[in-house]
Amino acid sequence: MFEIVAKESLAPVLTKFVIRSPFIARKRKAGHFVILRVDDHGERIPLTIVDSDAESGTITLIVQTIGKTTKLLSLKEKGDTLLDVAGPLGNPTPIENLGTVVCIGGGVGTAEIFPIVKALKEAGNRVVTIIGARNKDLVILEREISEVSDTLIIATEDGSRGLKGLVTDALSDYIQSNGHIGAVYAVGPIPMMRAVSNFTKPFDLKTFVSLNPLMMDGTGMCGACRVTVGGETKFACVDGPEFEGHMVDFDELIARNRAYADLEKQSLERFERELAEGGLIHG
Ligand SMILES: Cc1cc2nc3c(=O)[nH]c(=O)nc-3n(C[C@H](O)[C@H](O)[C@H](O)COP(=O)(O)OP(=O)(O)OC[C@H]3O[C@@H](n4cnc5c(N)ncnc54)[C@H](O)[C@@H]3O)c2cc1C
Ligand code: FES
């Protein structure tokens, strides 16, 4: 069992959990994720390890409440336990000193890009980070990210904070007024990662995206996380989750992630009904 040692609401539907898991805390690197089960009726869900503290034996996860399992997790409190937390899984992000790099996080992807920003900074890069959100209330980790970035640019869709527009607008402004960029790292909703990849392609600017297909076992056995990259079949859990954005078949990824949308909606609705009635909360 894995104890929740701290819980904090960061924004509407975004919750931070600090979980006791000494082995993972010692081993994890930027880009790694865990697969957890809340209880023995629960589905397995992959979540990025946002941070860790080897001394206290804890890892930090930031979770967007989007469906049944993330809702169930959001109801857990400090002192509660989770049934399984397996990891660290996936490959660490390729980190090297490339001079100036741009890191882009959109939505909960801001949490997922944080360990990459930190690792790139530690490797000696000049790190420019762009955070994108729909509005100012959804901007998260601003202080933490600014501490490990040389430049932080915030872009909100409604203009309530920072630049008005999308992360690609901020990236375009930055590229036009600055010099060479070694690489771009983007984590966020699939349309955002696709837009960033489309934008950087004509500049031949190396772009890494962190793919979020459906996952089950996280060990390359089930095939749920199959993606096509450069015309080849890859499994995001063991070959990724990061890939060269210019090579990714985003249309296929979107179609595969939508395959169970109706069932996921029904599952969330049933869960919320049962929760409201105070009855069984599994299924
Ligand atoms: C490597 C990786 C790292 C991730 N890191 C984070 C993170 O740090 N924080 C965070 O909030 N989310 C993260 N996700 C996404 C998270 O796993 C899903 O939001 C979660 O599984 C949804 O479960 P649910 O039961 O609440 O929703 P569901 O009802 O199952 O689905 C709701 C929506 O989430 C998508 N989804 C469902 N299951 C998965 C899955 N296993 N993987 C990816 N997408 C899924 C569906 O396409 C659907 O649109 C990550 C995904 C991957 C693959
Ligand atoms: S999650 Fe099963 S093969 Fe990747």
Side-chain angles (χ1 to χ4, degrees):
M1 295 291 229
F2 296 81
E3 187 194 354
I4 298 171
V5 296
K7 176 186 178 187
E8 184 189 345
S9 171
L10 299 182
V13 306
L14 288 170
T15 310
K16 171 173 152 181
F17 290 96
V18 179
I19 294 167
R20 193 172 309 288
S21 181
F23 174 79
I24 300 177
R26 272 199 315 277
K27 298 283 176 193
R28 58 74 56 162
K29 293 197 169 101
H32 277 141
F33 63 96
V34 293
I35 289 200
L36 66 76
R37 270 197 309 165
V38 176
D39 59 31
D40 56 7
H41 299 272
E43 284 175 351
R44 296 176 156 77
I45 60 163
L47 295 168
T48 302
I49 305 169
V50 175
D51 210 350
S52 63
D53 182 339
E55 229 166 85
S56 62
T58 57
I59 59 169
T60 301
L61 307 177
I62 294 182
V63 188
Q64 178 178 21
T65 306
I66 193 169
K68 185 199 142 191
T69 304
T70 47
K71 172 103 191 181
L72 178 62
L73 182 57
S74 75
L75 299 173
K76 293 287 169 188
E77 299 297 343
K78 180 178 171 192
D80 288 344
T81 53
L82 305 176
L83 180 67
D84 306 318
V85 180
L89 297 169
N91 295 296
T93 305
I95 300 288
E96 49 183 312
N97 190 339
L98 298 164
T100 298
V101 291
V102 176
C103 295
I104 304 176
V108 73
T110 302
E112 298 170 59
I113 201 84
F114 173 65
I116 299 173
V117 174
K118 212 171 155 186
L120 286 165
K121 183 69 190 157
E122 281 164 11
N125 289 282
R126 180 168 178 277
V127 185
V128 177
T129 307
I130 301 173
I131 296 180
R134 283 204 309 280
N135 61 55
K136 66 175 170 30
D137 298 331
L138 297 173
V139 174
I140 58 168
L141 302 184
E142 186 179 340
R143 179 183 53 79
E144 292 84 344
I145 289 182
S146 67
E147 281 170 6
V148 287
S149 302
D150 294 277
T151 304
L152 173 63
I153 302 166
I154 296 175
T156 53
E157 286 176 35
D158 67 355
S160 53
R161 189 72 215 288
L163 297 174
K164 185 176 191 307
L166 302 172
V167 292
T168 39
D169 300 321
L171 178 62
S172 169
D173 288 353
Y174 184 82
I175 286 181
Q176 275 167 33
S177 52
N178 291 275
H180 176 76
I181 295 171
V184 171
Y185 297 75
V187 189
I190 299 168
M192 183 210 97
M193 294 191 286
R194 170 156 64 182
V196 169
S197 302
N198 288 342
F199 180 81
T200 57
K201 196 164 182 190
F203 297 94
D204 200 19
L205 180 48
K206 193 169 231 177
T207 300
F208 297 99
V209 292
S210 180
L211 299 187
N212 55 351
L214 300 176
M215 286 191 182
M216 284 170 67
D217 65 328
T219 59
M221 308 285 281
C222 72
C225 67
R226 179 167 65 74
V227 289
T228 304
V229 182
E232 286 179 24
T233 295
K234 301 278 178 191
F235 294 121
C237 66
V238 288
D239 298 320
E242 268 138 30
F243 295 97
E244 253 281 16
H246 304 154
M247 317 273 273
V248 171
D249 184 340
F250 285 105
D251 287 335
E252 181 196 57
L253 177 60
I254 290 170
R256 282 180 62 80
N257 269 10
R258 281 195 190 134
Y260 303 104
D262 287 348
L263 290 173
E264 286 161 354
K265 189 163 168 269
Q266 285 167 24
S267 172
L268 178 61
E269 284 168 358
R270 190 166 62 239
F271 175 73
E272 286 181 331
R273 214 171 33 246
E274 288 171 352
L275 199 60
E277 289 164 0
L280 183 69
I281 56 170
H282 307 294

